[in-house]
Amino acid sequence: MFKRNTKRTFLCNSITSKSLAVLLAIFMLISLTACQSSNENKTLTLATTTSVNDSGLLGYLQPTLEKDTGLELKIVAVGTGQAIQTAKDGNADVLLVHDKKSEEEFVAEGYGLERIELMYNYFVIVGPADDPAGISALEEKNAALALKKIMESEAPFVSRGDDSGTHKKENSLWKEAGVEPSGDWYISAGKGMADVLLMANEKQAYALTDKATYLSLKDKLNLEILLESAENLKNQYTIIQVNPEKHSGINSK
């Protein structure tokens, strides 16, 4: 589940026509004039996160975008850190990522033109139904406290471990809790969100995930949402046009 910043909710498998129109309009504003000449670049490369891609949202939008604009949308789905580096290297035209600090640095360094907050959902902590760390029973809905309880119980936890936006969020929560995870219970996967959820399912472990990816895989998982709606779990997604002055070949139109 994602939400527009107008607080209108849309589901990846049931997106309202108005929300669809808004998202398509954003891509089209960046790229529509590329269709005016056969000599112009017909490919728009979007560097984004595995969480956005795994949610099914882009697969829903892509056919309509390509039909309406004549563009080919090339999707590079990696962690936020790698997506930003891809854009810095001149190998993407647009970013759709979710780590505010990194995004602001990207724009401040001149690699991006403007940081536009596009949509948001919430991170959630998922885990086995028996909840050995007891995080669902916390009186205070606080993700940092939940991670600390998981560490104290040494219940298995699978981390993205890939410098993604989700991994950066996890690290900020450990820092907020005042602890540093270590031990056999803590598994750094170095993989995308879908792979991490499948690994957590196999090991009956906890994981921090965006809610949309969890919902898209829910039928394949024997994991439950054990903590959500905590204030420190908001997950803001941002779209940034890459600065064409940094590299030749950027499809700025």
Side-chain angles (χ1 to χ4, degrees), residues 126-128 158 194-207 214 217-224:
V126 300
V158 181
D195 287 336
V196 164
L197 284 172
L198 293 171
M199 184 183 297
N201 185 66
E202 181 182 346
K203 296 179 179 296
Q204 282 297 280
Y206 292 93
Y214 169 77
L217 292 172
K218 185 178 179 181
D219 292 343
K220 300 179 181 178
L221 302 173
N222 189 23
L223 299 172
E224 295 185 3

Side-chain angles (χ1 to χ4, degrees), residues 9-237:
T9 300
F10 64 89
L11 297 176
C12 296
N13 61 351
S14 180
I15 301 177
T16 65
S17 57
K18 185 173 181 180
S19 298
L20 175 61
V22 170
L23 283 171
L24 288 174
I26 288 172
F27 284 117
M28 290 170 67
L29 283 172
I30 295 172
S31 61
L32 187 58
T33 54
C35 303
Q36 293 176 351
S37 168
S38 59
N39 295 324
E40 292 177 340
N41 189 353
K42 295 284 189 174
T43 300
L44 183 70
T45 301
L46 172 69
T48 189
T49 70
T50 59
S51 57
V52 171
N53 196 51
D54 291 343
S55 73
L57 175 62
L58 297 180
Y60 185 91
L61 294 174
Q62 185 173 5
T64 306
L65 172 71
E66 293 183 341
K67 179 180 178 182
D68 287 354
T69 66
L71 286 166
E72 175 190 357
L73 180 63
K74 179 182 177 183
I75 299 169
V76 179
V78 288
T80 285
Q82 191 175 344
I84 289 175
Q85 188 59 52
T86 297
K88 283 185 175 181
D89 293 340
N91 295 320
D93 306 307
V94 187
L95 276 175
L96 178 55
V97 288
H98 62 147
D99 182 59
K100 185 176 182 179
K101 181 180 178 182
S102 300
E103 296 157 8
E104 289 177 338
E105 290 174 354
F106 180 79
V107 173
E109 292 169 359
Y111 289 102
L113 297 184
E114 183 182 3
R115 179 179 174 273
I116 302 170
E117 293 187 349
L118 175 64
M119 60 188 182
Y120 68 92
N121 64 4
Y122 282 87
F123 290 107
V124 294
I125 298 178
V126 300
D130 61 352
D131 187 15
I135 66 172
S136 60
L138 284 171
E139 292 185 8
E140 182 183 354
K141 298 300 181 184
N142 184 301
L145 292 179
L147 291 187
K148 188 174 182 180
K149 281 186 70 69
I150 293 170
M151 180 176 178
E152 290 171 347
S153 71
E154 295 192 352
F157 180 94
V158 181
S159 168
R160 288 279 297 268
D162 62 351
D163 197 36
S164 61
T166 304
H167 186 213
K168 290 173 185 289
K169 179 65 176 179
E170 180 206 322
N171 286 340
S172 74
L173 291 172
W174 290 117
K175 185 176 181 179
E176 184 182 336
V179 295
E180 186 172 342
S182 63
D184 293 341
W185 63 274
Y186 185 77
I187 304 159
S188 182
K191 295 181 179 293
M193 196 70 257
D195 287 336
V196 164
L197 284 172
L198 293 171
M199 184 183 297
N201 185 66
E202 181 182 346
K203 296 179 179 296
Q204 282 297 280
Y206 292 93
L208 177 72
T209 176
D210 67 289
K211 192 172 183 179
T213 305
Y214 169 77
L215 291 175
S216 72
L217 292 172
K218 185 178 179 181
D219 292 343
K220 300 179 181 178
L221 302 173
N222 189 23
L223 299 172
E224 295 185 3
I225 293 176
L226 299 173
L227 185 71
E228 63 177 327
S229 302
E231 187 61 31
N232 51 0
L233 286 177
K234 186 174 181 181
N235 183 23
Q236 177 70 57
Y237 286 88

